[in-house]
Amino acid sequence: MISPLDVRNQVFKKMFRGYDADEVRIFLDAVADRMEDMIKAKEDLERENAVLKEKNKSFTEIETSLRDTMVTAQRICDESKVAAQREADNIVRQAELEAKSKVANVSGDLDHLARQRQTTRAETMAFIAKLKSLLEGHLSFLGSIEREVREDPAGQPSAEEERAEV
């Protein structure tokens, strides 16, 4: 995998009628900067994802604890008077609503993270397409330069090229 440092340290050999070295360096620096930004964004998303996973784990433990509490509450309710039964039912309903609310919040956070991931992926693909187009343009330009170099000053192919064509 190419790192931003690899892009910054890339050295091209100099050729007659080559690219402007300053423009190439500026472009490579811009590509390296964008790569660094994307790597940082990815790392931020991974950290955020880890935090959300930890929260989800915590909520799962709370949900397990609530289920255990509900079983205990049910056993106590069976042994209690009718008034205690009503109070236990209210506690269980309230606990279920809180658990559902917390689970819904975590689900919303995960959906948001997934949308951010999709956006980052789309931006990356657009960047790749732009870079590919730019490189194809440069290759076309190099092809035209190569054709010019192969022709002699009068615009005629050299004797060697004519023999090669025959």
Side-chain angles (χ1 to χ4, degrees):
M1 180 173 171
I2 295 176
S3 72
L5 187 58
D6 293 334
V7 173
R8 288 187 195 284
N9 292 335
Q10 179 64 43
V11 177
F12 298 97
K13 62 182 176 178
K14 297 193 178 188
M15 303 284 292
F16 177 71
R17 299 185 83 189
Y19 290 106
D20 181 344
D22 290 337
E23 285 183 345
V24 170
R25 179 55 41 211
I26 290 169
F27 177 75
L28 289 175
D29 286 344
V31 169
D33 289 343
R34 181 65 177 135
M35 287 176 70
E36 286 174 348
D37 291 343
M38 292 172 67
I39 288 169
K40 287 176 186 174
K42 179 184 174 254
E43 290 171 352
D44 290 344
L45 288 173
E46 287 174 347
R47 279 192 294 276
E48 184 178 344
N49 190 27
V51 168
L52 290 174
K53 283 182 178 180
E54 190 61 37
K55 282 183 182 180
N56 191 30
K57 180 181 176 185
S58 174
F59 290 143
T60 301
E61 291 172 0
I62 290 170
E63 183 179 3
T64 301
S65 176
L66 289 172
R67 285 183 184 170
D68 293 343
T69 302
M70 289 177 8
V71 168
T72 302
Q74 187 63 44
R75 191 175 62 243
I76 292 171
C77 288
D78 290 342
E79 299 169 359
S80 299
K81 297 179 183 178
V82 173
Q85 178 70 39
R86 289 182 192 148
E87 185 178 337
D89 289 343
N90 287 336
I91 290 171
V92 170
R93 278 193 294 272
Q94 187 177 15
E96 287 175 343
L97 288 174
E98 287 176 9
K100 286 179 183 178
S101 174
K102 290 178 181 180
V103 168
N105 286 341
V106 168
S107 178
D109 289 345
L110 289 174
D111 289 344
H112 177 70
L113 183 59
R115 285 191 301 276
Q116 285 181 332
R117 182 173 176 246
Q118 285 299 97
T119 300
T120 301
R121 180 178 285 155
E123 289 173 355
T124 300
M125 291 306 296
F127 175 75
I128 288 169
K130 287 178 183 176
L131 184 58
K132 192 175 186 180
S133 175
L134 178 66
L135 291 173
E136 288 171 354
H138 286 289
L139 285 173
S140 175
F141 177 69
L142 285 173
S144 68
I145 290 173
E146 183 179 20
R147 284 188 297 278
E148 286 179 20
V149 168
R150 287 185 181 186
E151 293 180 1
D152 69 12
Q156 299 297 319
S158 68
E160 292 176 11
E161 290 175 344
E162 285 181 0
R163 278 183 264 141
E165 289 178 7
V166 172

